[in-house]
Amino acid sequence: IGSMAIGLLLIALSGKSVPDAIEAFLDGAFGTAFAFGASINRAVSLSLIGLGFILAARANLTNVGGEGQIAVGGIAATALALWPPVAGLPLGLAVILPLLAGTLAGAIWGGIAGVMKVRFGTNEVISTLLLGFVALLMVYWCVQSTALLRQPQTSSSTLPESLPIPDSTKLPGLTGDPESPLHIGLVLCLLLALATAIVLQRSTFGLRLRAIGLNELAARRAGMPGSILLVVALGIAGAFGGLTGAIMLQGEQFYLKAGFSSGYGFDGLVVGLLSRGSTVGVLAGALFFGFLRSGGISMEIMAGVPSALTVVIQGLIVIAVAGSVILVEKLEGGQR
């Protein structure tokens, strides 16, 4: 609340109307079926990145490569969706196979960082971040080259992007309302959140990840395959990112273009950090940031509020939440 109040003060200081900004924010986040559905879809993307982050974090790994994993997932999903034999597959396979391709691509991308850590001792923060830059350049390469995914160039004005994916490969809508963009990615996200919670809290695999994260040497001496667990953890985190890229392509954008990931990988990282390892925290944070991003876009368009102010408000919220966590921990420590 304090961060939002400071944000409104900054809007006023910028010379914009605060009531108009609030109205634009509410319209952009909740005002119509389209706005509400778009906000939820954004929250789905942020949730999946956050879930992958907390799963890797359980093994004391920091995956900051969500943006790159989204990128390779989008490339793989687009390539398979545009492959003619896939579009004609029955029983929903035309939707499922590109999703699986994106998930697999993300898993491989995350797994590369895991192998580098185990084999060469490379810090996963550095490797996942730099692999992300490579993946973003791969998207640029794919949409610039007609030999890869760029649409046929009929004139100098042909945009550097792929052809639209066939309708049969698009994610089905969830509400039946043609005005709402909400799709079944929400159902997939909730199922994966439940599965993640069970894995982390109720499974042997989750216990082993925790053991590796707390004391890798002791876990190895207890007979746990530490190297494999580290690679698998980063691979699963990457799979969540790759699935996010596939969902964004098949559920909202429908064609590949440079910059399609729109910073969701970094916002999802913030969601994962603020959740403190909780799947419920990931979902709550993703909802908040999803609506915040939608409302911020609307404020920029309808009220003329600079987009940078939305980023500032988001940063203030992160600082406030992180600071409150530190304060609570100090108070609890003092009581003990």
Side-chain angles (χ1 to χ4, degrees), residues 276 317-331:
R276 303 183 69 195
I317 292 168
V318 171
I319 293 171
V321 174
S324 67
V325 169
I326 295 171
L327 179 60
V328 169
E329 289 178 347
K330 285 186 177 180
L331 292 173

Side-chain angles (χ1 to χ4, degrees), residues 116-235:
M116 292 173 66
K117 181 176 182 65
V118 170
R119 182 68 180 84
F120 305 108
T122 308
N123 186 289
E124 75 279 0
V125 174
I126 297 173
S127 59
T128 53
L129 180 63
L130 296 184
L131 282 168
F133 291 127
V134 173
L136 293 175
L137 289 173
M138 286 172 59
V139 173
Y140 181 81
W141 180 31
C142 286
V143 299
Q144 289 289 342
S145 173
T146 53
L148 296 174
L149 292 176
R150 180 170 181 165
Q151 60 181 315
Q153 291 183 258
T154 56
S155 69
S156 60
S157 62
T158 302
L159 294 175
E161 60 191 29
S162 73
L163 290 168
I165 62 174
D167 289 342
S168 60
T169 64
K170 297 177 181 178
L171 294 182
L174 195 58
T175 64
D177 183 355
E179 294 184 1
S180 174
L182 189 62
H183 50 65
I184 62 167
L186 174 61
V187 177
L188 290 175
C189 175
L190 293 176
L191 290 175
L192 286 171
L194 178 61
T196 301
I198 293 173
V199 166
L200 292 180
Q201 303 297 333
R202 304 287 182 181
S203 72
T204 303
F205 178 68
L207 179 63
R208 288 178 174 176
L209 286 181
R210 183 173 179 80
I212 289 289
L214 291 174
N215 193 321
E216 183 178 350
L217 180 59
R220 290 177 184 274
R221 287 179 175 174
M224 296 183 187
S227 299
I228 295 175
L229 286 171
L230 293 176
V231 174
V232 170
L234 281 174

Side-chain angles (χ1 to χ4, degrees), residues 43-89:
V44 166
S45 298
L46 297 175
S47 294
L48 291 173
I49 296 297
L51 290 172
F53 178 86
I54 65 170
L55 196 146
R58 183 57 61 93
N60 198 28
L61 297 169
T62 305
N63 174 40
V64 298
E67 194 79 357
Q69 292 149 11
I70 290 174
V72 295
I75 291 172
T78 303
L80 204 61
L82 290 175
W83 190 35
V86 171
L89 291 175

Side-chain angles (χ1 to χ4, degrees), residues 1-12 18 21-22 25-26 29-30 288-289 291-293 295-296 299 309-310 312-318 320:
I1 292 173
S3 299
M4 295 295 286
I6 294 173
L8 293 176
L9 177 61
L10 292 174
I11 291 173
V18 172
I22 294 175
F25 179 89
L26 294 176
F30 314 97
F288 181 81
F289 281 107
F291 283 110
L292 182 64
R293 179 179 275 229
M299 283 198 302
L309 277 181
T310 304
V312 171
I313 294 171
Q314 181 174 316
L316 289 171
I317 292 168
V318 171

Side-chain angles (χ1 to χ4, degrees), residues 24-25 27-51 70 171 180-183 185-186 189 244-245 247-248 251-253 257 260-269 271 282-301 310 314:
F25 179 89
D27 285 344
F30 314 97
T32 64
F34 178 86
F36 184 79
S39 298
I40 296 295
N41 287 344
R42 290 187 172 99
V44 166
S45 298
L46 297 175
S47 294
L48 291 173
I49 296 297
L51 290 172
I70 290 174
L171 294 182
S180 174
L182 189 62
H183 50 65
L186 174 61
C189 175
T244 303
I247 286 176
M248 290 174 66
E252 303 170 65
Q253 303 194 20
K257 62 180 180 180
F260 84 96
S261 53
S262 302
Y264 281 93
F266 297 115
D267 286 353
L269 166 64
V271 168
V282 166
L283 296 178
L287 275 175
F288 181 81
F289 281 107
F291 283 110
L292 182 64
R293 179 179 275 229
S294 294
I297 293 172
S298 179
M299 283 198 302
E300 182 180 9
I301 295 173
T310 304
Q314 181 174 316

Side-chain angles (χ1 to χ4, degrees), residues 233-259:
L234 281 174
I236 295 176
F240 275 102
L243 177 61
T244 303
I247 286 176
M248 290 174 66
L249 258 299
Q250 293 178 251
E252 303 170 65
Q253 303 194 20
F254 308 129
Y255 58 91
L256 186 69
K257 62 180 180 180

